[in-house]
Amino acid sequence: MNKEITLRLSGDIEKCVPAGTPFFEVVKMLGQSKDTVGVLVNGLEKDLSAMAEEDAKLELLTVDSPEGLEIYRHTSAHVMAQAVKEIFPSTKITIGPVIKDGFYYDYDFERPFTPEDLVLIEKKMKEIIKRRLPISRIELTKEEAIALFKKRDEPYKVELIEDGLTEPITAYQQGDFIDLCRGPHLPSTGKLKAIKLLSTGGAYWRGDEKNKMLQRIYGTSFSSHLALDAHLKKLEEIKKRDHRRLGKDLDLFSTSDQIGAGLILWHPKGAIMRKVIEDFWRDEHLKADYDFVATPHMAKRELWEQSGHLSFYKENMYEGIDVDGIPYQIKPMNCPFHIMIYKSKLRSYRDLPLRWSELGTVYRYERSGALHGLMRVRGFTQDDAHIFCCPDQIEPEILKVLDFTTHVLGTFGFKDYEIYLSTRPEKYVGSLDRWQQATAALESALKQKGIAYEIDPGEGVFYGPKIDMKIKDSLGRSWQCTTIQVDFNLPERFGMTYRGDDGKAHQPIMIHRALLGSIERFFGVLIEHYAGAFPTWLAPVQTKVIPITEHHQEYANLLQKKLRDVGIRSEVDHRNEKMGLKIREAQLQKIPYMLIVGDKEIAEQSVSVRQRSGVNTTVPLDLCITQIKEEIALKRAV
RNA sequence: GCCCUUGUAGCUCAGUCGGUAGAGCACAUCCUUGGUAAGGAUGAGGUCACCGGUUCAAAUCCGGUCAAGGGCUCCA
């Protein structure tokens, strides 16, 4: 007779069961067997088939919880692997983890999987689900595990085990399929409901490009077809918002084979938006007590040696410019130039902090496969600034930057952030003292702001700790834009000093910061965030004047002039086309206001306003202009 | 960089077995003068990404280059 043990559940519920009772029995007693996919025993994930051995805190994991969904998807990945093995028995299985929004599994197979293969595999998966195969956990010693996977001719699994897995090694079996896996898993393949294979791609074994290229299949699964459909719909929406697509449709930017990969051509409509962004940026920097500097696009190789870029950033730098026999290189960063300005004269502690900003265009080598629209390019403009200060100014300056950042990003419509504090990495320069001081200053600033943040241990730059901010867009995706980095290294390397109140030379601290990151990338994020339907203050064409017939052109021109006189960007559609077509095209161009004028409007000096939303009103001409003007002045979001 | 896919008119894309290039949209001209998401006709527009090879003949087959797209981070 087993002794009774007590399982404590949430809400002070206690359940006593004999030791050795499997959790699925416990779950059944609790009447929760339908939705439960696993359990947390004292915070550790366990299979439903595991036994309750001793007194413990018990939590039930449903597929609606993040952990439960992980279990569900991990089993989905196993079912996919089983399906692949059944269709293509020569395939070797490798690893198949759960990722955000789904799962993947990497296979060693003689050729890439085709979309037709995916259809077959998905069909087979559904069949395996229908078989309702029980999934069982097997515990093995290292030798047993190696023997098992050698016998099954799965060399990748053997390698993983030999590479230092600790006993007990666990595997999961469903039907004839056995996979090395930590688990936990669903009790049966029959528990899976909505599953979809999405795409294929190459992936290196263990993520190392020196290793063999494997064939990866991505998929996702949900506990209901409704949830799956909603997810697929979101993927569609993401595709529709693709900034490369919209960039072309809205005539904002392009690239050209003849110019080169990763180099952006800004068309008039993109460039006017860029001007608006940059004007706003400059105005706000002036208000925030920054000064502007401007620096060249290249410098002698020697400068980059002194800055250390040629030792730690060489692979991202372009070289090969020869000026009268002296080697020059295009700049990948602006900092050395700002330092040279600092060093152009003696600085006093009374001068600090110095805040110097520049929209500085830099060029960095990116691997051809990494290039992506505006998000990853080889030439871009950083909204850069360097703050030179003494050590005890770090914290107030960081506070100021944080306030400034939320103000600037907020104006663009980004109100949600994820914030990371990255601390000292293994390879670093500078004294531990300084690291501690700077890290404490960053942390204290974040705490004072009451901002929630996560610590990214060891992810700081070698020259100092940093704060990274990711903005969340309208689809909930996050984008890294803002970075605020403390630097002890460059002031040291360049022998920067200021005269302190003691009359002695001291070394300033340098804070690098970019709020938008790069104008190109930020622009790409803006496009996707708004799906091209920009707030009026940003829209390249703010108003489209649409005369109904040729007879109304004069009035249309007058209206356009009035709009332009108060700084509203306006175009007139003079074409000999019907109004319906003109509206359609203005709508597709996502122009905020269509101003339609005909006989009626001329008679009463009014304008028929069709908003992008489809709302129609007729208002007196002057009122219409004032209202739009006000909306732009307030940078109102739509 | 590596693996896979793609590259045909300004855009989106057809083009079969290798036989010498097509549509819609956009553009131009004309007709139409209109009331809130596509009026009609006619016309112009191509070194089929580039280089080389096979062939009587290449957009099509082969090799290379360039560019674009997906993947290469979230470890059994």
Side-chain angles (χ1 to χ4, degrees):
Chain A
M1 179 69 196
N2 287 333
K3 66 171 178 144
E4 285 273 313
I5 58 167
T6 307
L7 299 170
R8 275 169 293 115
L9 288 118
S10 65
D12 285 332
I13 300 168
E14 292 197 347
K15 185 84 194 165
C16 293
V17 295
T21 308
F23 287 111
F24 65 82
E25 291 289 354
V26 179
V27 169
K28 208 183 273 176
M29 288 178 229
L30 294 164
Q32 301 283 335
S33 54
K34 218 175 163 192
D35 300 322
T36 305
V37 295
V39 290
L40 278 179
V41 181
N42 291 331
L44 289 175
E45 288 185 17
K46 297 268 186 188
D47 291 291
L48 285 176
S49 59
M51 321 260 192
E53 304 286 7
E54 54 198 350
D55 291 356
K57 186 169 164 247
L58 181 71
E59 290 166 75
L60 307 187
L61 294 176
T62 68
V63 73
D64 303 318
S65 70
E67 299 95 331
L69 190 59
E70 259 186 43
I71 295 171
Y72 188 85
R73 286 181 172 157
H74 205 166
T75 299
S76 308
H78 275 209
V79 169
M80 170 164 75
Q82 183 179 6
V84 169
K85 287 290 285 187
E86 287 188 14
I87 302 174
F88 309 105
S90 65
T91 312
K92 306 291 170 235
I93 53 175
T94 70
I95 59 165
V98 172
I99 50 174
K100 186 173 181 289
D101 294 332
F103 58 89
Y104 68 77
Y105 210 116
D106 286 346
Y107 308 92
D108 183 1
F109 186 50
E110 65 217 36
R111 59 168 175 83
F113 292 106
T114 64
E116 294 74 45
D117 293 335
L118 288 200
V119 174
L120 287 179
I121 295 165
E122 202 176 292
K123 223 169 131 189
K124 181 66 81 179
M125 287 170 73
K126 285 180 181 150
E127 205 184 300
I128 292 168
I129 293 168
K130 268 206 189 125
R131 285 184 218 154
R132 299 178 165 279
L133 299 171
I135 300 173
S136 54
R137 176 185 158 100
I138 308 166
E139 284 195 13
L140 301 158
T141 64
K142 203 157 177 170
E143 289 77 51
E144 288 170 338
I146 290 172
L148 174 68
F149 286 102
K150 270 196 176 150
K151 193 175 133 217
R152 295 181 69 84
D153 198 17
E154 295 291 2
Y156 293 90
K157 295 291 175 187
V158 175
E159 186 182 327
L160 287 170
I161 301 163
E162 285 176 340
D163 258 30
L165 289 190
T166 48
E167 296 184 1
I169 288 166
T170 56
Y172 281 77
Q173 176 161 25
Q174 59 209 41
D176 298 330
F177 178 79
I178 303 180
D179 198 355
L180 178 71
C181 186
R182 182 166 39 203
H185 276 280
L186 300 181
S188 154
T189 62
K191 289 275 181 189
L192 292 174
K193 292 204 174 67
I195 227 165
K196 175 91 185 158
L197 298 185
L198 296 170
S199 61
T200 57
Y204 301 104
W205 168 233
R206 296 184 144 185
D208 187 337
E209 56 192 274
K210 290 185 205 88
N211 288 342
K212 184 166 186 183
M213 178 75 70
L214 305 172
Q215 304 303 331
R216 177 172 296 180
I217 300 179
Y218 286 94
T220 192
S221 60
F222 288 88
S223 57
S224 73
H225 288 279
L226 216 66
L228 174 64
D229 288 345
H231 179 71
L232 296 178
K233 222 169 158 189
K234 189 179 157 187
L235 293 182
E236 280 298 307
E237 183 60 30
I238 287 172
K239 218 183 235 171
K240 268 203 298 204
R241 285 169 180 249
D242 191 315
H243 72 282
R244 294 164 301 184
R245 178 76 255 154
L246 287 166
K248 193 175 262 182
D249 290 347
L250 304 182
D251 200 14
L252 301 173
F253 67 91
S254 66
T255 53
S256 159
D257 278 22
Q258 292 177 68
I259 286 173
L263 301 170
I264 304 301
L265 295 169
W266 292 75
H267 296 200
K269 289 205 169 77
I272 188 71
M273 287 186 65
R274 185 173 166 146
K275 179 204 177 282
V276 173
I277 294 167
E278 291 180 357
D279 284 352
F280 168 68
W281 187 91
R282 286 203 179 86
D283 292 347
E284 295 306 311
H285 275 71
L286 276 184
K287 286 188 214 162
D289 293 327
Y290 281 78
D291 293 311
F292 298 132
V293 292
T295 63
H297 284 199
M298 60 180 203
K300 285 182 185 170
R301 194 185 157 85
E302 251 173 65
L303 178 81
W304 303 110
E305 273 162 12
Q306 191 181 357
S307 69
H309 284 88
L310 282 179
S311 41
F312 66 83
Y313 209 69
K314 191 173 195 300
E315 59 279 14
N316 289 293
M317 290 180 67
Y318 299 105
E319 54 186 326
I321 300 173
D322 177 295
V323 181
D324 292 340
I326 298 168
Y328 280 67
Q329 295 198 242
I330 304 182
K331 68 173 170 184
M333 293 188 193
N334 303 302
C335 15
F337 298 87
H338 293 193
I339 289 170
M340 288 303 141
I341 297 173
Y342 181 97
K343 288 188 60 169
S344 66
K345 66 182 216 184
L346 191 65
R347 305 288 172 181
S348 151
Y349 75 97
R350 294 172 191 275
D351 299 330
L352 304 184
L354 289 165
R355 306 185 193 93
W356 290 344
S357 61
E358 175 180 15
L359 291 163
T361 303
V362 297
Y363 292 85
R364 298 179 182 175
Y365 174 72
E366 294 286 351
R367 307 211 294 177
S368 60
L371 298 174
H372 181 87
L374 293 175
M375 303 301 189
R376 199 74 174 269
V377 292
R378 286 181 175 157
F380 59 95
T381 300
Q382 280 185 307
D383 69 314
D384 209 356
H386 295 98
I387 298 167
F388 302 98
C389 63
C390 38
D392 59 6
Q393 288 171 330
I394 297 178
E395 186 177 327
E397 283 306 308
I398 297 289
L399 268 173
K400 212 173 142 141
V401 171
L402 287 174
D403 277 339
F404 189 40
T405 305
T406 46
H407 164 63
V408 170
L409 293 178
T411 307
F412 285 106
F414 300 107
K415 311 275 189 193
D416 291 329
Y417 316 100
E418 288 169 10
I419 299 183
Y420 300 88
L421 173 64
S422 303
T423 56
R424 183 168 51 82
E426 276 178 37
K427 283 179 79 176
Y428 65 96
V429 297
S431 68
L432 279 176
D433 238 26
R434 285 204 148 166
W435 272 92
Q436 209 167 13
Q437 189 185 7
T439 311
L442 294 184
E443 192 148 23
S444 160
L446 285 171
K447 281 195 175 133
Q448 275 189 57
K449 294 304 304 166
I451 303 176
Y453 62 94
E454 278 177 50
I455 292 194
D456 236 345
E459 286 302 305
V461 199
F462 73 93
Y463 52 70
K466 61 169 180 173
I467 295 173
D468 283 336
M469 287 175 65
K470 291 184 178 182
I471 52 180
K472 281 207 159 183
D473 74 8
S474 52
L475 292 183
R477 298 172 298 174
S478 41
W479 304 91
Q480 155 97 58
C481 292
T482 308
T483 182
I484 306 166
Q485 310 178 347
V486 180
D487 185 353
F488 327 119
N489 178 50
L490 286 176
E492 169 85 41
R493 278 177 170 272
F494 282 99
M496 298 171 73
T497 59
Y498 62 88
R499 197 55 58 90
D501 59 359
D502 54 2
K504 291 184 184 145
H506 297 267
Q507 199 173 92
I509 300 282
M510 196 172 166
I511 300 171
H512 308 246
R513 48 111 281 198
L515 309 185
L516 313 180
S518 98
I519 302 287
E520 281 73 7
R521 183 182 163 78
F522 186 73
F523 192 71
V525 175
L526 265 183
I527 294 172
E528 304 214 350
H529 178 62
Y530 286 112
F534 304 107
T536 309
W537 73 282
L538 282 170
V541 180
Q542 296 169 317
T543 59
K544 187 79 150 184
V545 181
I546 299 177
I548 290 173
T549 77
E550 284 176 351
H551 312 305
H552 311 118
Q553 293 208 356
E554 199 184 321
Y555 187 69
N557 286 336
L558 177 80
L559 174 54
Q560 184 196 33
K561 186 174 181 315
K562 281 188 171 228
L563 289 161
R564 288 189 166 178
D565 281 349
V566 297
I568 299 172
R569 294 185 287 278
S570 178
E571 288 180 355
V572 183
D573 193 338
H574 282 300
R575 293 174 307 163
N576 178 11
E577 295 291 352
K578 286 186 143 181
M579 185 194 58
L581 181 86
K582 296 180 182 180
I583 288 173
R584 175 183 155 80
E585 293 189 353
Q587 188 77 43
L588 291 175
Q589 286 295 303
K590 305 181 191 255
I591 295 169
Y593 290 99
M594 285 156 258
L595 306 178
I596 295 142
V597 291
D599 289 338
K600 209 173 75 190
E601 287 76 15
I602 294 174
E604 56 190 27
Q605 289 292 296
S606 68
V607 56
S608 169
V609 180
R610 182 193 159 99
Q611 287 178 249
R612 186 166 52 192
S613 59
V615 174
N616 289 321
T617 47
T618 300
V619 285
L621 195 134
D622 291 327
L623 180 64
C624 160
I625 294 173
T626 335
Q627 283 178 345
I628 296 175
K629 196 180 143 191
E630 188 185 290
E631 180 187 335
I632 293 167
L634 294 174
K635 300 187 170 57
R636 205 178 286 151
V638 271

